[in-house]
Amino acid sequence: MGLFAVRRGEQVWVYVNSCPHVGLPLELQPHRFLDHKGERIICAAHGAKFLVEDGLCVGGPCMGDSLEAVAARVEGGNIVVDAEAGV
Ligand code: FES
């Protein structure tokens, strides 16, 4: 299933790459998870939009549901997550 990250400077948010609607991966093209403005995470299959900061769906068929967040941090320029995350 895998994880994906959205990074803004020293802030990072990591989620399991699975739409809460039917569990499809979110991206249509590799490494493209954001809408054209770069503001929201978007599900390519049905257009659901999620807040970057907490993964809450704010539009689309899974409105009110959330992406599964994974604790992460930036360390020495790298994104660090627990080894067990997203498996
Ligand atoms: S699979 Fe993403 S909104 Fe349906």
Side-chain angles (χ1 to χ4, degrees):
M1 187 164 302
L3 305 175
F4 70 97
V6 180
R7 183 173 173 182
R8 292 181 176 152
E10 291 300 308
Q11 288 188 295
V12 65
W13 298 270
V14 175
Y15 297 101
V16 175
N17 186 12
S18 176
C19 181
H21 175 215
V22 290
L24 293 175
L26 292 162
E27 81 280 27
L28 186 60
Q29 299 173 1
H31 312 297
R32 299 285 307 264
F33 288 89
L34 301 180
D35 63 14
H36 68 283
K37 292 181 180 177
E39 294 177 346
R40 303 251 165 96
I41 298 162
I42 189 164
C43 172
H46 304 96
K49 292 185 176 185
F50 304 87
L51 299 178
V52 168
E53 295 81 5
D54 61 7
L56 177 68
C57 180
V58 294
C62 49
M63 193 150 158
D65 290 338
S66 294
L67 299 172
E68 183 180 344
V70 173
R73 62 193 181 280
V74 176
E75 246 181 45
N78 297 309
I79 298 170
V80 178
V81 297
D82 289 340
E84 304 296 318
V87 293

